[in-house]
mmCIF file of all heavy atoms in Angstrom:
data_model
loop_
_atom_site.group_PDB
_atom_site.id
_atom_site.type_symbol
_atom_site.label_atom_id
_atom_site.label_comp_id
_atom_site.label_asym_id
_atom_site.label_seq_id
_atom_site.Cartn_x
_atom_site.Cartn_y
_atom_site.Cartn_z
ATOM 1 N N SER A 1 7.008 -15.937 -12.033
ATOM 2 C CA SER A 1 7.186 -14.577 -12.556
ATOM 3 C C SER A 1 5.813 -13.861 -12.689
ATOM 4 O O SER A 1 5.743 -12.665 -12.645
ATOM 5 C CB SER A 1 7.893 -14.583 -13.867
ATOM 6 O OG SER A 1 7.120 -15.160 -14.927
ATOM 7 N N LYS A 2 4.734 -14.642 -12.776
ATOM 8 C CA LYS A 2 3.405 -14.047 -12.987
ATOM 9 C C LYS A 2 2.624 -14.119 -11.612
ATOM 10 O O LYS A 2 2.271 -13.111 -11.042
ATOM 11 C CB LYS A 2 2.632 -14.761 -14.124
ATOM 12 C CG LYS A 2 3.390 -14.704 -15.411
ATOM 13 C CD LYS A 2 3.511 -13.355 -15.993
ATOM 14 C CE LYS A 2 4.172 -13.379 -17.414
ATOM 15 N NZ LYS A 2 4.465 -12.144 -17.985
ATOM 16 N N LYS A 3 2.168 -15.287 -11.297
ATOM 17 C CA LYS A 3 1.250 -15.538 -10.166
ATOM 18 C C LYS A 3 1.847 -15.135 -8.828
ATOM 19 O O LYS A 3 1.224 -14.457 -8.011
ATOM 20 C CB LYS A 3 0.775 -16.931 -10.207
ATOM 21 C CG LYS A 3 -0.176 -17.319 -11.345
ATOM 22 C CD LYS A 3 -1.408 -16.421 -11.417
ATOM 23 C CE LYS A 3 -2.207 -16.793 -12.616
ATOM 24 N NZ LYS A 3 -3.430 -15.833 -12.723
ATOM 25 N N ILE A 4 3.051 -15.650 -8.536
ATOM 26 C CA ILE A 4 3.688 -15.395 -7.220
ATOM 27 C C ILE A 4 3.917 -13.847 -7.100
ATOM 28 O O ILE A 4 3.872 -13.294 -6.056
ATOM 29 C CB ILE A 4 4.970 -16.212 -7.075
ATOM 30 C CG1 ILE A 4 4.660 -17.642 -6.844
ATOM 31 C CG2 ILE A 4 5.808 -15.669 -5.934
ATOM 32 C CD1 ILE A 4 5.803 -18.547 -6.567
ATOM 33 N N LEU A 5 4.197 -13.215 -8.174
ATOM 34 C CA LEU A 5 4.490 -11.787 -8.225
ATOM 35 C C LEU A 5 3.138 -11.045 -7.748
ATOM 36 O O LEU A 5 3.193 -10.163 -6.879
ATOM 37 C CB LEU A 5 4.829 -11.337 -9.637
ATOM 38 C CG LEU A 5 5.256 -9.891 -9.775
ATOM 39 C CD1 LEU A 5 6.468 -9.564 -8.922
ATOM 40 C CD2 LEU A 5 5.590 -9.617 -11.286
ATOM 41 N N GLN A 6 2.031 -11.572 -8.233
ATOM 42 C CA GLN A 6 0.740 -10.878 -7.857
ATOM 43 C C GLN A 6 0.372 -11.175 -6.409
ATOM 44 O O GLN A 6 -0.067 -10.295 -5.707
ATOM 45 C CB GLN A 6 -0.399 -11.422 -8.769
ATOM 46 C CG GLN A 6 -0.161 -10.972 -10.207
ATOM 47 C CD GLN A 6 -1.220 -11.531 -11.165
ATOM 48 O OE1 GLN A 6 -2.218 -12.133 -10.716
ATOM 49 N NE2 GLN A 6 -1.074 -11.226 -12.472
ATOM 50 N N TRP A 7 0.619 -12.414 -5.901
ATOM 51 C CA TRP A 7 0.376 -12.774 -4.571
ATOM 52 C C TRP A 7 1.238 -11.910 -3.664
ATOM 53 O O TRP A 7 0.861 -11.466 -2.501
ATOM 54 C CB TRP A 7 0.693 -14.269 -4.325
ATOM 55 C CG TRP A 7 -0.253 -15.197 -5.046
ATOM 56 C CD1 TRP A 7 -1.421 -14.805 -5.700
ATOM 57 C CD2 TRP A 7 -0.116 -16.545 -5.383
ATOM 58 N NE1 TRP A 7 -2.023 -15.903 -6.295
ATOM 59 C CE2 TRP A 7 -1.218 -16.981 -6.103
ATOM 60 C CE3 TRP A 7 0.861 -17.467 -4.977
ATOM 61 C CZ2 TRP A 7 -1.390 -18.236 -6.571
ATOM 62 C CZ3 TRP A 7 0.712 -18.761 -5.383
ATOM 63 C CH2 TRP A 7 -0.429 -19.206 -6.203
ATOM 64 N N ALA A 8 2.499 -11.670 -4.027
ATOM 65 C CA ALA A 8 3.403 -10.822 -3.241
ATOM 66 C C ALA A 8 2.890 -9.408 -3.063
ATOM 67 O O ALA A 8 2.920 -8.884 -1.931
ATOM 68 C CB ALA A 8 4.754 -10.866 -3.869
ATOM 69 N N ILE A 9 2.320 -8.844 -4.112
ATOM 70 C CA ILE A 9 1.782 -7.488 -4.019
ATOM 71 C C ILE A 9 0.559 -7.481 -3.104
ATOM 72 O O ILE A 9 0.319 -6.529 -2.345
ATOM 73 C CB ILE A 9 1.389 -7.028 -5.397
ATOM 74 C CG1 ILE A 9 2.566 -6.958 -6.275
ATOM 75 C CG2 ILE A 9 0.605 -5.610 -5.337
ATOM 76 C CD1 ILE A 9 3.603 -5.939 -5.907
ATOM 77 N N ILE A 10 -0.312 -8.576 -3.127
ATOM 78 C CA ILE A 10 -1.435 -8.638 -2.197
ATOM 79 C C ILE A 10 -1.000 -8.687 -0.765
ATOM 80 O O ILE A 10 -1.501 -7.964 0.078
ATOM 81 C CB ILE A 10 -2.244 -9.927 -2.536
ATOM 82 C CG1 ILE A 10 -2.909 -9.748 -4.012
ATOM 83 C CG2 ILE A 10 -3.314 -10.122 -1.475
ATOM 84 C CD1 ILE A 10 -3.587 -11.017 -4.407
ATOM 85 N N LEU A 11 0.049 -9.531 -0.510
ATOM 86 C CA LEU A 11 0.565 -9.577 0.914
ATOM 87 C C LEU A 11 1.182 -8.244 1.290
ATOM 88 O O LEU A 11 1.192 -7.924 2.578
ATOM 89 C CB LEU A 11 1.594 -10.690 1.036
ATOM 90 C CG LEU A 11 1.136 -12.066 1.465
ATOM 91 C CD1 LEU A 11 2.236 -13.020 1.546
ATOM 92 C CD2 LEU A 11 0.379 -11.898 2.848
ATOM 93 N N LEU A 12 1.771 -7.557 0.396
ATOM 94 C CA LEU A 12 2.396 -6.258 0.665
ATOM 95 C C LEU A 12 1.413 -5.273 1.304
ATOM 96 O O LEU A 12 1.751 -4.546 2.214
ATOM 97 C CB LEU A 12 2.995 -5.617 -0.564
ATOM 98 C CG LEU A 12 3.970 -4.429 -0.471
ATOM 99 C CD1 LEU A 12 5.289 -4.851 0.210
ATOM 100 C CD2 LEU A 12 4.245 -3.918 -1.794
ATOM 101 N N GLY A 13 0.169 -5.397 0.905
ATOM 102 C CA GLY A 13 -0.930 -4.551 1.389
ATOM 103 C C GLY A 13 -1.174 -4.810 2.829
ATOM 104 O O GLY A 13 -1.695 -3.885 3.579
ATOM 105 N N ALA A 14 -1.024 -5.989 3.388
ATOM 106 C CA ALA A 14 -1.308 -6.340 4.663
ATOM 107 C C ALA A 14 -0.344 -5.689 5.688
ATOM 108 O O ALA A 14 -0.712 -5.617 6.807
ATOM 109 C CB ALA A 14 -1.104 -7.919 4.817
ATOM 110 N N GLY A 15 0.754 -5.105 5.174
ATOM 111 C CA GLY A 15 1.601 -4.326 6.032
ATOM 112 C C GLY A 15 1.316 -2.826 6.121
ATOM 113 O O GLY A 15 1.994 -2.109 6.768
ATOM 114 N N LEU A 16 0.248 -2.409 5.433
ATOM 115 C CA LEU A 16 -0.089 -1.002 5.358
ATOM 116 C C LEU A 16 -1.269 -0.638 6.280
ATOM 117 O O LEU A 16 -2.305 -1.402 6.253
ATOM 118 C CB LEU A 16 -0.324 -0.585 3.966
ATOM 119 C CG LEU A 16 0.774 -0.603 2.987
ATOM 120 C CD1 LEU A 16 0.297 -0.243 1.559
ATOM 121 C CD2 LEU A 16 1.863 0.410 3.347
ATOM 122 N N SER A 17 -1.240 0.442 6.987
ATOM 123 C CA SER A 17 -2.303 0.971 7.752
ATOM 124 C C SER A 17 -2.841 2.180 7.022
ATOM 125 O O SER A 17 -2.187 3.212 6.928
ATOM 126 C CB SER A 17 -1.951 1.360 9.190
ATOM 127 O OG SER A 17 -2.951 2.076 9.804
ATOM 128 N N LEU A 18 -4.086 2.131 6.520
ATOM 129 C CA LEU A 18 -4.620 3.181 5.734
ATOM 130 C C LEU A 18 -4.898 4.423 6.463
ATOM 131 O O LEU A 18 -4.823 5.474 5.974
ATOM 132 C CB LEU A 18 -5.915 2.766 5.086
ATOM 133 C CG LEU A 18 -5.864 1.640 3.992
ATOM 134 C CD1 LEU A 18 -7.205 1.265 3.452
ATOM 135 C CD2 LEU A 18 -4.860 1.989 2.946
ATOM 136 N N SER A 19 -5.072 4.283 7.832
ATOM 137 C CA SER A 19 -5.282 5.486 8.634
ATOM 138 C C SER A 19 -3.958 6.258 8.832
ATOM 139 O O SER A 19 -3.939 7.534 8.730
ATOM 140 C CB SER A 19 -5.828 5.138 10.059
ATOM 141 O OG SER A 19 -4.893 4.093 10.685
ATOM 142 N N GLN A 20 -2.908 5.541 9.039
ATOM 143 C CA GLN A 20 -1.528 6.168 9.147
ATOM 144 C C GLN A 20 -1.187 6.801 7.764
ATOM 145 O O GLN A 20 -0.658 7.874 7.679
ATOM 146 C CB GLN A 20 -0.536 5.115 9.485
ATOM 147 C CG GLN A 20 0.816 5.755 9.890
ATOM 148 C CD GLN A 20 1.885 4.639 10.286
ATOM 149 O OE1 GLN A 20 1.950 3.642 9.668
ATOM 150 N NE2 GLN A 20 2.526 4.932 11.443
ATOM 151 N N VAL A 21 -1.564 6.062 6.702
ATOM 152 C CA VAL A 21 -1.308 6.608 5.397
ATOM 153 C C VAL A 21 -1.977 7.869 5.123
ATOM 154 O O VAL A 21 -1.521 8.808 4.514
ATOM 155 C CB VAL A 21 -1.661 5.499 4.287
ATOM 156 C CG1 VAL A 21 -1.849 6.119 2.912
ATOM 157 C CG2 VAL A 21 -0.651 4.339 4.248
ATOM 158 N N TRP A 22 -3.273 7.921 5.553
ATOM 159 C CA TRP A 22 -4.122 9.114 5.354
ATOM 160 C C TRP A 22 -3.451 10.339 6.097
ATOM 161 O O TRP A 22 -3.421 11.345 5.519
ATOM 162 C CB TRP A 22 -5.481 8.900 5.907
ATOM 163 C CG TRP A 22 -6.417 10.118 5.829
ATOM 164 C CD1 TRP A 22 -6.738 10.905 6.877
ATOM 165 C CD2 TRP A 22 -7.090 10.656 4.696
ATOM 166 N NE1 TRP A 22 -7.477 11.979 6.555
ATOM 167 C CE2 TRP A 22 -7.753 11.783 5.204
ATOM 168 C CE3 TRP A 22 -7.175 10.286 3.354
ATOM 169 C CZ2 TRP A 22 -8.492 12.550 4.262
ATOM 170 C CZ3 TRP A 22 -7.914 11.000 2.522
ATOM 171 C CH2 TRP A 22 -8.570 12.178 2.972
ATOM 172 N N GLN A 23 -3.047 10.196 7.349
ATOM 173 C CA GLN A 23 -2.546 11.246 8.099
ATOM 174 C C GLN A 23 -1.200 11.778 7.421
ATOM 175 O O GLN A 23 -1.016 12.931 7.268
ATOM 176 C CB GLN A 23 -2.238 10.807 9.520
ATOM 177 C CG GLN A 23 -1.653 11.870 10.411
ATOM 178 C CD GLN A 23 -1.408 11.477 11.819
ATOM 179 O OE1 GLN A 23 -1.775 10.325 12.143
ATOM 180 N NE2 GLN A 23 -0.744 12.249 12.630
ATOM 181 N N THR A 24 -0.295 10.913 7.061
ATOM 182 C CA THR A 24 0.965 11.233 6.485
ATOM 183 C C THR A 24 0.734 11.863 5.026
ATOM 184 O O THR A 24 1.377 12.736 4.619
ATOM 185 C CB THR A 24 1.902 10.115 6.375
ATOM 186 O OG1 THR A 24 2.003 9.471 7.666
ATOM 187 C CG2 THR A 24 3.264 10.472 5.859
ATOM 188 N N GLY A 25 -0.343 11.250 4.382
ATOM 189 C CA GLY A 25 -0.622 11.791 3.054
ATOM 190 C C GLY A 25 -1.066 13.172 3.025
ATOM 191 O O GLY A 25 -0.720 13.895 2.090
ATOM 192 N N ILE A 26 -1.840 13.551 3.993
ATOM 193 C CA ILE A 26 -2.325 15.016 4.114
ATOM 194 C C ILE A 26 -1.056 15.883 4.287
ATOM 195 O O ILE A 26 -0.981 16.948 3.632
ATOM 196 C CB ILE A 26 -3.292 15.191 5.231
ATOM 197 C CG1 ILE A 26 -4.596 14.323 4.995
ATOM 198 C CG2 ILE A 26 -3.566 16.614 5.426
ATOM 199 C CD1 ILE A 26 -5.291 14.857 3.736
ATOM 200 N N GLU A 27 -0.186 15.495 5.110
ATOM 201 C CA GLU A 27 0.998 16.275 5.424
ATOM 202 C C GLU A 27 1.928 16.406 4.189
ATOM 203 O O GLU A 27 2.600 17.440 4.041
ATOM 204 C CB GLU A 27 1.849 15.735 6.577
ATOM 205 C CG GLU A 27 1.104 15.730 7.904
ATOM 206 C CD GLU A 27 1.778 14.945 8.956
ATOM 207 O OE1 GLU A 27 2.858 14.336 8.682
ATOM 208 O OE2 GLU A 27 1.318 14.858 10.150
ATOM 209 N N SER A 28 1.985 15.329 3.443
ATOM 210 C CA SER A 28 2.953 15.295 2.321
ATOM 211 C C SER A 28 2.320 15.380 0.945
ATOM 212 O O SER A 28 2.912 15.141 -0.045
ATOM 213 C CB SER A 28 3.825 14.071 2.426
ATOM 214 O OG SER A 28 3.000 12.849 2.307
ATOM 215 N N LEU A 29 1.039 15.716 0.879
ATOM 216 C CA LEU A 29 0.157 15.641 -0.280
ATOM 217 C C LEU A 29 0.813 16.487 -1.453
ATOM 218 O O LEU A 29 0.940 15.895 -2.559
ATOM 219 C CB LEU A 29 -1.217 16.145 -0.006
ATOM 220 C CG LEU A 29 -2.176 16.147 -1.210
ATOM 221 C CD1 LEU A 29 -2.454 14.665 -1.696
ATOM 222 C CD2 LEU A 29 -3.485 16.823 -0.850
ATOM 223 N N TYR A 30 1.130 17.724 -1.255
ATOM 224 C CA TYR A 30 1.588 18.593 -2.339
ATOM 225 C C TYR A 30 3.000 18.009 -2.932
ATOM 226 O O TYR A 30 3.141 17.906 -4.153
ATOM 227 C CB TYR A 30 1.861 20.027 -1.891
ATOM 228 C CG TYR A 30 0.632 20.791 -1.795
ATOM 229 C CD1 TYR A 30 0.147 21.246 -0.499
ATOM 230 C CD2 TYR A 30 -0.251 21.070 -2.824
ATOM 231 C CE1 TYR A 30 -1.032 21.986 -0.353
ATOM 232 C CE2 TYR A 30 -1.358 21.785 -2.761
ATOM 233 C CZ TYR A 30 -1.765 22.244 -1.457
ATOM 234 O OH TYR A 30 -2.933 22.925 -1.394
#
């Protein structure tokens, strides 16, 4: 409930592309 939870969040980040996030974030910022 504590450690595996944190490791899961770390691995979740591996599926994100910050460049794609940036582009979409600008469009949906407001």
